[in-house]
Amino acid sequence: MSDVAPAAGEDAERARPLDTAVEFVRELGVPRLLIAVFVVALFVVAAVTHMDLGRLVTDSLSRVARNGILVLALLPAVQGGLGLNFGLPLGIVCGLLACVITMNANLSGWLGLSLAALLGAAIAVPAGLAYGWLLNRTRGQEMMVGTYLGFAVVSAMSVFWTMAPFHNTQLVWAIGGHGLRTTLTLTGFYDRLLDKLGAFRLFGVEIPTGTVVVFLGACVVVGLLLRTRAGLSLSAARSNPRFALAAGISDEHTRVQAAVASTVLAAIGIVVFCQSYGFVQLYTAPLLMAFPAVACLLIGGASVTRATLAHVIVGTVLFQSILTVALPVTSQVIGGDISETARLVIQNGMILYALTRRGEP
Amino acid sequence: MRPALQTRLRRAAAPLLFLLLCVLGAIAAQITPEFILRELLARFARNALLVLSLLIPILAGLGLNFGIVIGAMAGQVAAILVTTWGVGGIAGFALACAVAVPVAVALGILTGLLFNRARGREMVTGLIAGFFANGVYQLVFLFALGSLIPFHVHELLLPQGYGLRNTIDLTGIQYAVDDLVRVQVPLEGQLVRVPVATFLVIGVFCGLSLLFQRTKLGQELRAMGQDAHVAATAGIDVDRNRVIAVVISTLLAALGQLLFLQNLGTLNTYSSHEQVGMFAIAALLVSGATVSRASVGQALLGTLLFHTLFVVSPLAGKALLGDAQIGEYFRVFVAYAVITVALALHAWQQAHHERAAQRG
């Protein structure tokens, strides 16, 4: 970015205001602008119709914090040249498995939560290694292989959840005494533990401090890691594999590192998601989770080959706000719930836009 | 030249493994061949054309067309329209086909143009395009119909006054083709419908697919599938032909979905189309077809094998583990796993060839 900025500045001085505006729109991207306008419009409608704005912002904020790390998990994959990691469910089921194991052992509170995150990350390392190995052998089709690997793993885990030897009565079906329930409630374990940590009210908005801090903290950690030697070689190998090889960096290694980082973050991300949501959803729930996360990243301004921390944060805020605010606002205005349909159109329209953009390296 | 024995064995490995799985499952659940035959008659007639619709994009080098979901939606639009017009029987079915054709062609052109902008990632683009189209479909039928678009058949609307009901009875066109030539055979003491006319339709489309591959266009598509660059140098309009391949596929999928629906007799307005792509693709792949190579015979064989497993799996799950649900999860896993393995193998070979080409 920095090497383009001076030239653009010179042009802007000579250009007429209209050109500057066009340039600004091009820089931002038409879909991004439309979505930002849409978010603002939703809030304006909410304000005009005297809805509880504080409530809406509270809900948006808690959903942003809840989903943040799952979106962040996509960043190393894009930086490492793996494209959009539709294989996110692989990491997600690692996290879910960790949640179930810790809950089965009756671990609750901070111990339960931190052990679940640690264990999830630990399970995700070998899973990510295998995933990276597979993606190295299927170059050029990473997104498709990732998508279907994710689907296959989620459905294999569905068989596992019904047959696994868990016996804690809070987790298994009451009838028959075996097979995990589809939704496990975290009440009494670590329900909203991070959300409540240091939570405070500001202008009628409740800030889920703990989860926000964890999300931003994870962003900082990932940002710092990407600036280390390993992180820099990751993007170097992505942008020019042959040049990197001449400098002693094998992109086979960096791509595996990227897959592991992405999978580990997804595992931690789902643990944070579950504590904030209050439930652990098993079986088919993780099947389509990668798609909204990918849409967040793209709405933030990322492309298939380039993403930054700013894209993660901006995208998550924009998309999750739409999802939160669209339901109450549309039901107020048109009397029906159009939010799920709007989500399908926006989310997949955004991914299509990114996949079909020309002039990408 | 006939392929070497080793290659032929490797190609037969997938269907043989699948056959073994089906046979073991059938033995475990003590399913009689008559039962499987009865189930397969209907299932094969329902699904074969949808599987056939995948062949031409594969020939043209576009890979598995996950966008056939869009074709299926075109078929459903037609089915909904003839139901509201109240036209039944074979006339209703013919009318539905006539309505489906222009819709499918238009959507096919759009999908083809989209694929031309996403060269090298047509499959993932097709998958996402299917999701996107599903959203637009919901916007039209769940929200616009009866509110923005005038619609007066109130029996089909949700109680709120707009939006189609979740299930629509297609009694008008049910068995329109299946019973065109009425044949019923007693199997295990029950009269079983043999959809002769449907099999005939499928046979005709098989023949057309084979004939198509011999036409000039078919040969051009084959050349593109082998090497798009060489084909372009030879003066073939690759971009245009790719769109044509997608249009044909979308059209066949629309007709295939209509055949599917006339047998089923009910339309799940918002979910009948969702899994069409996944099941058709998995069915094609279990026959040993690959992302770049598939034949009419493989499409038919794959449909038979895959749907045998579909019948057997829940029953085997119940017999072996006391839970039919496990069998159902298992068959979904098999569908996804088959696709994953095929995609991985394809990408693996492609990467291998590229590396070999770079070295050489």
Side-chain angles (χ1 to χ4, degrees):
Chain A
M1 257 198 173
S2 55
D3 50 344
V4 192
E10 273 173 29
D11 279 349
E13 275 176 1
R14 269 173 275 146
R16 283 164 296 146
L18 184 68
D19 287 347
T20 328
V22 168
E23 189 54 40
F24 176 74
V25 168
R26 189 173 300 151
E27 184 81 13
L28 210 63
V30 177
R32 204 151 303 117
L33 205 65
L34 282 176
I35 284 162
V37 169
F38 189 49
V39 173
V40 173
L42 280 174
F43 272 104
V44 168
V45 172
V48 169
T49 53
H50 303 292
M51 294 176 70
D52 184 356
L53 275 185
R55 177 91 237 139
L56 289 179
V57 178
T58 303
D59 288 348
S60 300
L61 198 58
S62 92
R63 281 185 66 157
V64 169
R66 183 184 298 169
N67 286 281
I69 299 180
L70 287 175
V71 182
L72 180 65
L74 298 165
L75 185 58
V78 174
Q79 284 300 315
L82 301 173
L84 305 168
N85 182 14
F86 290 112
L88 212 57
L90 179 67
I92 292 177
V93 294
C94 294
L96 291 177
L97 183 61
C99 283
V100 170
I101 291 173
T102 50
M103 286 168 79
N104 191 52
N106 271 323
L107 297 167
S108 61
W110 290 107
L111 179 69
L113 182 61
S114 42
L115 268 183
L118 277 176
L119 186 61
I123 301 170
V125 171
L129 284 172
Y131 183 37
W133 175 84
L134 180 66
L135 291 184
N136 267 341
R137 258 133 211 90
T138 55
R139 264 168 208 261
Q141 291 290 339
E142 291 93 345
M143 290 191 266
M144 205 60 212
V145 171
T147 307
Y148 272 85
L149 182 73
F151 287 170
V153 167
V154 169
S155 48
M157 288 306 282
S158 296
V159 178
F160 174 80
W161 303 131
T162 49
M163 298 172 61
F166 294 114
H167 296 293
N168 191 326
T169 46
Q170 285 169 282
L171 309 183
V172 298
W173 292 111
I175 304 163
H178 69 93
L180 292 167
R181 300 178 196 179
T182 43
T183 305
L184 313 175
T185 164
L186 282 173
T187 317
F189 288 96
Y190 34 83
D191 176 31
R192 293 177 53 79
L193 205 56
L194 279 173
D195 276 34
K196 285 180 199 151
L197 178 71
F200 60 94
R201 289 184 78 85
L202 192 71
F203 306 120
V205 177
E206 202 167 310
I207 316 280
T209 318
T211 312
V212 172
V213 167
V214 167
F215 169 43
L216 293 179
C219 286
V220 170
V221 170
V222 170
L224 287 176
L225 281 178
L226 285 176
R227 271 174 190 73
T228 61
R229 195 186 157 76
L232 289 173
S233 56
L234 203 70
S235 24
R238 181 244 326 172
S239 48
N240 194 338
R242 294 199 160 190
F243 190 73
L245 196 61
I249 305 164
S250 153
D251 78 332
E252 297 255 314
H253 286 134
T254 57
R255 283 161 55 99
V256 172
Q257 286 164 4
V260 172
S262 188
T263 311
V264 167
L265 278 170
I268 298 172
I270 195 69
V271 175
V272 173
F273 179 97
C274 288
Q275 68 79 28
S276 165
Y277 188 55
F279 299 95
V280 178
Q281 297 169 293
L282 302 176
Y283 298 94
T284 52
L287 193 67
L288 300 176
M289 273 190 181
F291 299 101
V294 167
C296 279
L297 187 70
L298 294 174
I299 286 171
S303 71
V304 178
T305 49
R306 199 178 144 270
T308 65
L309 275 179
H311 296 156
V312 171
I313 298 170
V314 172
T316 313
V317 169
L318 280 180
F319 193 48
Q320 292 297 334
S321 308
I322 291 185
L323 296 188
T324 324
V325 182
L327 169 60
V329 169
T330 51
S331 58
Q332 179 105 347
V333 176
I334 65 165
D337 177 14
I338 201 168
S339 59
E340 184 58 17
T341 307
R343 182 183 70 80
L344 272 180
V345 173
I346 296 172
Q347 167 189 311
N348 297 303
M350 198 63 222
I351 301 176
L352 274 186
Y353 172 79
L355 287 174
T356 52
R357 241 159 80 175
R358 283 225 173 106
E360 294 249 324
Chain B
M1 203 173 75
R2 291 173 72 82
L5 182 67
Q6 208 184 348
T7 334
R8 275 159 65 199
L9 271 181
R10 198 163 0 117
R11 274 186 206 146
L16 283 178
L17 184 72
F18 223 74
L19 187 65
L20 187 71
L21 208 59
C22 293
V23 170
L24 289 180
I27 294 171
Q30 296 178 318
I31 303 171
T32 58
E34 286 85 1
F35 177 81
I36 294 183
L37 186 66
R38 195 175 73 202
E39 288 284 320
L40 272 187
L41 272 177
R43 283 173 171 272
F44 180 80
R46 275 210 291 265
N47 291 288
L49 189 52
L50 284 167
V51 181
L52 282 172
S53 75
L54 293 166
L55 294 180
I56 284 168
I58 293 178
L59 184 72
L62 284 152
L64 303 164
N65 182 12
F66 285 82
I68 61 165
V69 178
I70 298 170
M73 287 181 211
Q76 289 178 191
V77 171
I80 292 168
L81 283 177
V82 295
T83 310
T84 57
W85 294 333
V87 191
I90 189 69
F93 187 80
L95 183 62
C97 290
V99 173
V101 170
V103 180
V105 169
L107 292 176
I109 291 174
L110 287 179
T111 316
L113 293 176
L114 198 66
F115 285 178
N116 277 349
R117 287 186 65 109
R119 224 165 258 253
R121 31 193 192 220
E122 291 92 352
M123 288 191 275
V124 66
T125 306
L127 182 72
I128 304 290
F131 292 155
F132 178 76
N134 190 25
V136 176
Y137 177 93
Q138 282 184 19
L139 272 185
V140 172
F141 288 103
L142 194 54
F143 295 102
L145 204 72
S147 58
L148 294 175
I149 307 169
F151 189 81
H152 302 293
V153 188
H154 291 286
E155 307 87 81
L156 295 181
L157 289 182
L158 289 164
Q160 61 198 11
Y162 63 85
L164 279 182
R165 284 183 183 278
N166 293 334
T167 51
I168 289 178
D169 234 342
L170 300 178
T171 33
I173 57 168
Q174 188 170 25
Y175 301 133
V177 182
D178 286 355
D179 276 354
L180 200 61
V181 182
R182 195 181 281 266
V183 179
Q184 296 197 320
V185 178
L187 257 181
E188 284 189 322
Q190 267 179 296
L191 275 183
V192 176
R193 167 180 288 105
V194 183
V196 181
T198 312
F199 285 138
L200 211 63
V201 171
I202 292 166
V204 167
F205 276 107
C206 288
L208 285 178
S209 298
L210 289 173
L211 278 179
F212 175 78
Q213 296 183 8
R214 285 160 199 236
T215 60
K216 179 163 176 295
L217 182 60
Q219 293 296 338
E220 285 185 7
L221 293 189
R222 187 187 298 278
M224 283 157 50
Q226 273 158 3
D227 194 323
H229 289 293
V230 175
T233 329
I236 296 173
D237 189 345
V238 174
D239 276 6
R240 190 194 62 136
N241 282 359
R242 280 163 57 100
V243 175
I244 294 176
V246 177
V247 168
I248 297 174
S249 174
T250 312
L251 185 60
L252 287 183
L255 300 180
Q257 183 74 354
L258 279 173
L259 269 190
F260 182 93
L261 292 173
Q262 65 85 29
N263 176 271
L264 218 57
T266 48
L267 168 68
N268 289 315
T269 318
Y270 304 108
S271 60
S272 274
H273 52 276
E274 274 186 331
Q275 301 207 297
V276 162
M278 169 191 139
F279 287 143
I281 284 166
L284 180 63
L285 292 173
V286 296
S287 68
T290 68
V291 176
S292 54
R293 189 192 170 92
S295 67
V296 171
Q298 283 173 324
L300 300 179
L301 174 69
T303 314
L304 274 179
L305 281 176
F306 188 70
H307 286 278
T308 309
L309 188 79
F310 240 73
V311 176
V312 169
S313 184
L315 296 169
K318 194 164 175 57
L320 290 174
L321 304 155
D323 190 354
Q325 188 65 48
I326 295 178
E328 259 163 58
Y329 286 134
F330 180 72
R331 69 186 186 185
V332 174
F333 164 67
V334 168
Y336 284 137
V338 162
I339 300 177
T340 312
V341 170
L343 287 171
L345 277 180
H346 171 69
W348 199 316
Q349 279 162 0
Q350 219 174 22
H352 187 75
H353 283 313
E354 267 167 32
R355 225 171 290 157
Q358 269 176 12
R359 253 184 249 125

